[in-house]
Amino acid sequence: MYDFVVVGCGPAGSRFARRAAERGRDVLAFEQGEIGKPLACSGHVSTDIWDYTPEGARDRLLQNVVYGARFHLGGPRGDPPGDPRRNGHAASVADGDARTSSADARTTTYPFYKDEQVSNVIDRVGLDKELADAAREAGADVRENHTVVGVEERPDRVRVEVKGPDGVETHEARMVAGCDGPKSRVRRELDMPEPDELLHGVLGFSDEDDDTDFVDVHLTVPDFFAWRIPRGDAGVEYGLATPPSADVRERFDRFTADYGVETDHRCSGLIPVGPPESVTSERAFLIGDAAAQTKPFTGGGILYGMTAANHAASEIDPRRPGSLADYEDAWRDDLEREIELGHWLRRAYSLPEPVQRAGLRALSGEIGVHMDRPTSLFSVDQLKSLLRG
């Protein structure tokens, strides 16, 4: 009998499998298809990602470096192209005022930036493969093309039914880790609580070469935003997310048409927002998107999921079900405040435009915040940045 069966080998699942195996646990992990595919997640991450990857991964995965973001209150039409900085990271208009196109006042642009790297753009499929290989090297048994079709909790174990290339198999473990995304099979099979909300995200890629170091964020999508991310010679990523609606793909088509591009390699997926009150049961626990351990203001969950995976590996003893409560406490102590503040930031996306403009104008310029930690808005570094402004 295994200590853990891990369902899903995205970043959260592979990170947990690796860390648990390194602690001497007997780990069996399943991915329903090829690891990393189909792509359903942006590859724009904070530089903290390299703390979770094998040695040398940055050289293999890095596509571009980012120093800041341009926030737009309108679409791309009418916005002057190019970098909003002057002399390094100064705004392109004197006194820090935002640029306004004469064609459309709604296209006001507000730059936010640092003198050091804010984030990196990476090979997202390659990241999953790197993390899964690291789990294998640590001793976890990672199997691709195996779809979990049933999960049953018993007083002393869990039974997991898996459909693989050779038919249906049954495996037993002391516990099961649900790392299987927004529509988690583990969560549904065990009737565990659902996330508060699911957004619908759409991504597409153009073949433009763009190694500029700013991303573009458009606050033009109801309750969320659209984005453009330069990926060096890997092209440009365009995307948006919104509460599920019939027009999400139409909105994406209009967004890319306004940029004057055609995209291929499109993909879409659900983004969970708002973790439920509990992400554990008697012998099961959820990590990552399955637990809605994501940033409400961006939808990103790679770092939060791997952070929670670390807590799960260190706190959960497969022979002691009571240790699941220790995992709940640990990850919430680390991330719950960040998630709550993230909800408040997201509310700003739906404020009246004059209020948005006033807030962006007041805060734009050099920043001292960390893209994964909203609490850094109250940091000494951010205070210094505001005073310099």
Side-chain angles (χ1 to χ4, degrees):
M1 183 164 60
Y2 294 94
D3 289 316
F4 296 108
V5 165
V6 179
V7 183
C9 295
S14 289
R15 180 65 181 180
F16 172 75
R18 175 187 177 182
R19 297 296 288 155
E22 288 173 344
R23 297 176 69 88
R25 310 301 190 189
D26 197 4
V27 180
L28 175 62
F30 296 113
E31 174 60 35
Q32 66 177 358
E34 180 183 348
I35 287 172
K37 298 182 179 180
L39 175 67
C41 176
S42 175
H44 181 220
V45 296
S46 76
T47 56
D48 290 357
I49 191 76
W50 310 120
D51 294 336
Y52 297 82
T53 56
E55 184 177 354
R58 187 180 188 278
D59 293 335
R60 296 186 290 271
L61 300 178
L62 182 68
Q63 294 177 332
N64 200 10
V65 298
V66 173
Y67 285 84
R70 293 177 288 250
F71 279 74
H72 307 261
L73 294 182
R77 286 187 298 184
D79 270 341
D83 194 328
R85 300 174 298 165
R86 183 186 64 222
N87 298 328
H89 294 292
S92 62
V93 176
D95 301 322
D97 289 341
R99 266 182 323 187
T100 304
S101 165
S102 59
D104 185 352
R106 293 177 304 165
T107 59
T108 306
T109 300
Y110 301 89
F112 293 76
Y113 51 82
K114 284 186 176 182
D115 282 325
E116 61 189 38
Q117 293 181 30
V118 173
S119 55
N120 287 170
V121 184
I122 63 170
D123 176 352
R124 184 63 183 79
V125 173
L127 174 68
D128 282 16
K129 294 182 180 297
E130 290 269 354
L131 295 171
D133 286 344
R136 291 187 177 102
E137 290 175 9
D141 183 353
V142 179
R143 304 183 188 181
E144 300 179 64
N145 300 305
H146 281 72
T147 301
V148 171
V149 296
V151 181
E152 178 188 357
E153 281 184 309
R154 297 190 174 185
D156 62 341
R157 67 191 66 195
V158 291
R159 289 173 57 87
V160 180
E161 289 190 349
V162 186
K163 185 177 182 180
D166 299 322
V168 177
E169 314 162 355
T170 300
H171 300 274
E172 294 187 338
R174 293 180 174 86
M175 290 188 181
V176 60
C179 310
D180 47 343
K183 299 180 72 174
S184 168
R185 184 65 180 256
V186 173
R187 190 178 66 220
R188 285 182 287 132
E189 287 283 313
L190 300 180
D191 198 27
M192 300 172 73
E194 298 283 329
D196 292 344
E197 179 185 11
L198 291 174
L199 301 177
H200 185 183
V202 180
L203 297 177
F205 301 87
S206 72
D207 59 3
E208 310 159 73
D209 287 343
D210 190 344
D211 60 359
T212 56
D213 53 12
F214 267 61
V215 301
D216 288 281
V217 178
H218 295 267
L219 302 180
T220 54
V221 177
D223 297 318
F224 217 66
F225 61 86
W227 62 87
R228 179 186 187 275
I229 300 173
R231 306 176 67 93
D233 58 11
V236 176
E237 174 189 318
Y238 296 86
L240 63 79
T242 184
S245 64
D247 68 345
V248 62
R249 293 185 181 276
E250 181 183 347
R251 284 183 178 276
F252 180 80
D253 289 339
R254 291 201 303 266
F255 176 61
T256 54
D258 282 350
Y259 263 109
V261 298
E262 294 185 3
T263 61
D264 54 12
H265 308 297
R266 280 198 194 181
C267 55
S268 65
L270 296 175
I271 302 170
V273 176
E277 292 185 2
S278 173
V279 298
T280 59
S281 62
E282 296 299 318
R283 288 187 171 271
F285 54 99
L286 307 176
I287 310 176
D289 282 4
Q293 292 161 335
T294 62
K295 295 181 289 185
F297 59 105
T298 70
I302 296 174
L303 263 295
Y304 282 15
M306 290 199 290
T307 298
N310 282 355
H311 289 304
S314 63
E315 299 293 340
I316 298 174
D317 180 347
R319 297 178 182 272
R320 189 168 63 86
S323 63
L324 290 169
D326 299 330
Y327 163 60
E328 287 268 23
D329 291 341
W331 83 260
R332 292 182 190 277
D333 286 347
D334 196 348
L335 297 175
E336 195 165 48
R337 189 179 178 203
E338 306 291 351
I339 291 172
E340 182 57 34
L341 283 173
H343 282 295
W344 282 101
L345 286 176
R346 183 183 167 198
R347 291 184 181 102
Y349 302 160
S350 300
L351 291 173
E353 186 174 309
V355 178
Q356 289 180 327
R357 183 178 293 112
L360 289 169
R361 182 181 294 116
L363 297 173
S364 65
E366 188 172 359
I367 57 173
V369 299
H370 189 289
M371 66 177 285
D372 289 321
R373 296 282 179 176
T375 53
S376 62
L377 284 167
F378 309 102
S379 66
V380 173
D381 286 344
Q382 176 61 7
L383 177 60
K384 289 179 180 178
S385 295
L386 289 174
L387 292 175
R388 283 195 297 267

